[in-house]
């Protein structure tokens, strides 16, 4: 009788959202442009979308006085669904990466600095279906959710994502599809750097099987 392969133990993979699963530049550009038009305050949206990753308020502080940043953050999040969801595409390999986790017996969670309801709107619009989405967490603070959900791998595009993975004791898998290049991600301590998410399913299967993969 042919023996069946041993079932893999349960595992969880965490994913960042902006510039990891979604190319949020067109949508965020549109939202900043709308906010600038509404307030009469100039915002260089072209520049802003080159430094995505940190919380919204850090970017707004470049354009508004401190006493208005919180108000503008609230307003940006209010108008965001009308301007940012429709023009934002999935990153190459995003759906397949989530599917690969499920096919191999795992759970996929999205952990992002983005306002959680807006993150969920993006995922629903694009047909990307993680098991759970957790918002409002940046850099080391992401470790809280990663530990809570038992994530052994965290995938992101920013050095802040690398820091979050390391703080959680998770393997940091990085993709240089956002503002941080491969050298910066490796210098921050990324364990694995893939060209983009299209390489993730093969890497994950090899990783779970204990096979070495050149990265």
């Amino acid at each position: 009788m042919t023996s069946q392969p041993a079932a893999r133990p349960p595992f969880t993979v965490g994913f960042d959202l902006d510039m990891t699963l979604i190319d949020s530049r067109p949508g965020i550009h549109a939202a900043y442009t709308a906010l600038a038009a509404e307030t009469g305050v100039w915002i260089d949206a072209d520049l802003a979308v080159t430094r995505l990753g940190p919380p919204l308020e850090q970017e707004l502080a470049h354009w508004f006085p401190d006493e208005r940043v919180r108000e503008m953050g609230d307003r940006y999040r209010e108008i965001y669904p009308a301007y940012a969801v429709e023009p934002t595409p999935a990153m190459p390999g995003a759906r397949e990466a989530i599917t690969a986790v499920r096919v191999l017996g795992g759970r996929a969670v999205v952990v992002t600095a983005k306002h959680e309801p807006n993150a969920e709107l993006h995922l629903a619009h694009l047909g990307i279906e993680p098991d759970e989405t957790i918002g409002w967490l940046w850099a080391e603070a992401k470790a809280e959710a990663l530990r809570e959900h038992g994530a052994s791998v965290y995938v992101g595009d920013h050095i802040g994502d690398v820091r979050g993975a390391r703080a959680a004791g998770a393997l940091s898998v990085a993709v240089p599809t956002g503002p941080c290049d491969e050298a910066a991600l490796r210098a921050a301590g990324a364990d694995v750097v893939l060209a983009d998410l299209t390489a993730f399913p093969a890497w994950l299967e090899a990783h779970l099987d204990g096979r070495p993969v050149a990265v």
Side-chain angles (χ1 to χ4, degrees):
M1 186 173 64
T2 303
S3 60
Q4 297 296 316
R8 294 186 176 94
F11 67 95
T12 298
V13 177
F15 292 87
D16 175 51
L17 182 65
D18 288 349
M19 303 311 299
T20 300
L21 290 174
I22 65 173
D23 184 350
S24 49
R25 292 171 296 186
I28 289 176
H29 191 287
Y32 278 132
T33 300
L35 185 65
E38 180 179 299
T39 61
V41 174
W42 182 71
I43 299 172
D44 188 342
D46 291 335
L47 175 60
V49 297
T50 68
R51 50 193 186 197
L52 300 181
L56 169 66
E57 284 74 13
Q58 290 189 25
E59 183 61 42
L60 292 175
H62 292 291
W63 314 109
F64 294 93
D66 290 347
E67 64 271 16
R68 296 199 68 195
V69 166
R70 182 172 180 178
E71 171 198 355
M72 291 299 99
D74 289 344
R75 182 58 183 152
Y76 173 95
R77 293 182 181 100
E78 287 173 358
I79 68 174
Y80 187 94
Y83 293 97
V85 174
E86 182 67 30
T88 296
M91 295 294 281
R95 296 181 187 88
E96 294 82 358
I98 299 292
T99 298
V101 174
R102 294 251 182 75
V103 167
L104 293 169
R107 296 179 71 251
V109 298
V110 171
V111 183
T112 174
K114 190 180 287 297
H115 182 49
E116 190 172 304
N118 288 340
E120 291 173 339
L121 286 175
H122 277 298
L123 293 166
H125 176 70
L126 294 170
I128 299 173
E129 300 180 345
D131 293 281
E132 192 152 354
T133 302
I134 306 99
W136 290 95
L137 297 175
W138 160 243
E140 287 83 357
K142 292 187 174 189
E144 174 187 343
L146 295 173
R147 286 193 297 264
E148 179 183 346
H149 291 277
S152 56
V153 174
Y154 185 59
V155 186
D157 68 283
H158 198 281
I159 60 173
D161 300 322
V162 177
R163 286 157 44 196
R166 293 177 67 85
L171 192 76
S172 171
V173 176
V175 284
T177 50
C180 302
D181 63 15
E182 179 177 352
L185 293 165
R186 291 194 184 278
D191 297 294
V192 175
V193 179
L194 304 175
D196 57 32
L197 285 182
T198 63
F200 180 78
W203 174 85
L204 179 63
E205 185 169 11
H207 169 68
L208 293 173
D209 289 345
R211 290 184 278 116
V213 183
V215 291

